[in-house]
Amino acid sequence: MRTITRRMLMTGTAGIVAAALMPRWLHASVQMGGWQVDTLSDGNLVLPADFIFGPAEDADLAPILDRHGLTGAAQLTPPCNLTLLRGNGRVVLFDAGSGPGFQPSAGTLPDAMAALGVTPGEVTDVVFTHGHPDHLWGVLDDFDEPLFHGARHYMGAGELDYWRDPETVETIGAARQAFAVGAARRLDALDGIIETFDDGDEVVPGVQAVLTPGHTPGHMSFAVAGAMILGDAIGNHHMAFEAPALPSGADQDMDLGIETRLALFDRIIADDMALIGFHLPAGGIGRAERAGGAYRFVPAG
Ligand SMILES: [Zn+2]
């Protein structure tokens, strides 16, 4: 296991040139149960590969890295896909993206929305999966006012408590200290605006919260119209699908992250659900298929 420092996470700039060549508005679009579902690209992150792979054994990882052309890769450039539901008189956005303050390769959500013809003021509901920078920091505009100024904002009660707790900056560990400071600042600005919900609640009509902890303490996924909006509970299409029981350094509680991931796959397969993943490729909408004793990601369309 290698240690990732905060500096490595916050200055991941070497991939910017490659990122600039990626299709910026790549998104997926499907109709589900009365909703028009689009994913919106917020660009991509640039992470040290060890941030995810560090805790797993090399022997377990090697075949997976080989299959995905990642052998020896120092960096990963996971895409960021936000989910937008339109229908039933609502415009529901899951997570708010990175904004301009996290990584230079991310924060393209406003352009992706414009390309779809949706303005921030039209969003009626912003629903957070969790409080990490690439999900939360885009919630404020340049004046530190809510960007989605007409929207109700919701976060799971346990997740909100965690990021608002002044102890979190001390307990979260050096690699994520800036995450805690940044989250607290945004949530302070949303004080009196943000509402909470619990496991099983219907956050928006037809959208049910599913507690999926491990990646963060109060991470939430959402069941809607035969699909599961995963957030980061299944956080990539390589290790998380092909060896979901391996520890991921992306999870703040790695054991709980494994338990959650295995339970989510069980439910998705048993209920034949589509899935939408924040960091999955091809816009993030697809299905999980059983493969080789685990799973593989099959993009929609
Ligand atoms: Zn996350």
Side-chain angles (χ1 to χ4, degrees), residues 129-135 179 215-216 219 232 250 279:
T129 59
H130 65 299
H132 277 163
D134 48 330
H135 300 256
F179 293 13
H215 181 73
T216 58
H219 186 285
D232 287 359
H279 296 300

Side-chain angles (χ1 to χ4, degrees), residues 6-298:
R6 179 175 70 87
R7 188 176 152 73
M8 288 166 75
L9 271 183
M10 303 298 285
T11 58
T13 53
I16 291 172
V17 174
L21 300 174
M22 292 172 70
R24 308 230 59 160
W25 321 130
L26 181 69
H27 83 283
S29 182
V30 294
Q31 304 269 348
M32 292 189 316
W35 297 101
Q36 169 67 37
V37 183
D38 291 275
T39 55
L40 298 163
S41 173
D42 195 43
N44 66 278
L45 302 182
V46 180
L47 299 173
D50 279 353
F51 182 68
I52 291 173
F53 299 138
E57 296 294 333
D58 288 347
D60 294 328
L61 277 172
I64 299 167
L65 299 185
D66 185 48
R67 273 195 293 279
H68 291 274
L70 293 169
T71 303
Q75 290 185 322
L76 300 176
T77 54
C80 301
N81 310 297
L82 281 76
T83 303
L84 186 76
L85 300 186
R86 287 178 289 173
N88 310 314
R90 312 289 270 258
V91 178
V92 186
L93 181 64
F94 291 84
D95 295 322
S98 287
F102 183 47
Q103 293 195 338
S105 54
T108 59
L109 173 67
D111 297 326
M113 288 184 69
L116 198 65
V118 178
T119 65
E122 289 176 284
V123 174
T124 59
D125 305 89
V126 177
V127 183
F128 292 103
T129 59
H130 65 299
H132 277 163
D134 48 330
H135 300 256
L136 172 63
W137 288 16
V139 75
L140 301 182
D141 66 15
D142 293 344
F143 304 98
D144 276 359
E145 301 285 340
L147 175 62
F148 308 99
H149 47 83
R152 302 177 75 157
H153 293 63
Y154 313 86
M155 184 177 276
E159 185 74 4
L160 184 65
D161 283 349
Y162 175 73
W163 294 108
R164 298 212 69 172
D165 183 348
E167 297 277 301
T168 295
V169 71
E170 307 300 331
T171 57
I172 195 169
R176 291 183 174 86
Q177 240 163 16
F179 293 13
V181 173
R185 180 165 88 69
R186 271 83 181 176
L187 294 173
D188 278 350
L190 294 175
D191 195 25
I193 295 172
I194 198 160
E195 301 169 46
T196 59
F197 58 88
D198 292 303
D199 185 27
D201 284 354
E202 195 172 38
V203 185
V204 170
V207 177
Q208 188 185 35
V210 181
L211 180 65
T212 46
H215 181 73
T216 58
H219 186 285
M220 290 282 187
S221 301
F222 300 93
V224 51
M228 187 70 81
I229 297 171
L230 298 168
D232 287 359
I234 299 175
N236 60 69
H237 66 297
H238 33 77
M239 187 172 81
F241 273 74
E242 295 183 18
L246 288 187
S248 169
D251 293 342
Q252 292 188 208
D253 180 331
M254 290 187 273
D255 291 337
L256 189 53
I258 291 168
E259 205 178 297
T260 286
R261 205 154 41 241
L262 293 172
L264 260 177
F265 275 121
D266 282 349
R267 177 169 173 185
I268 287 164
I269 294 287
D271 295 351
D272 194 23
M273 297 181 89
L275 49 82
I276 308 177
F278 194 89
H279 296 300
L280 298 183
I285 303 179
R287 306 193 86 82
E289 262 181 16
R290 288 191 190 280
Y295 307 94
R296 72 185 175 98
F297 175 61
V298 182

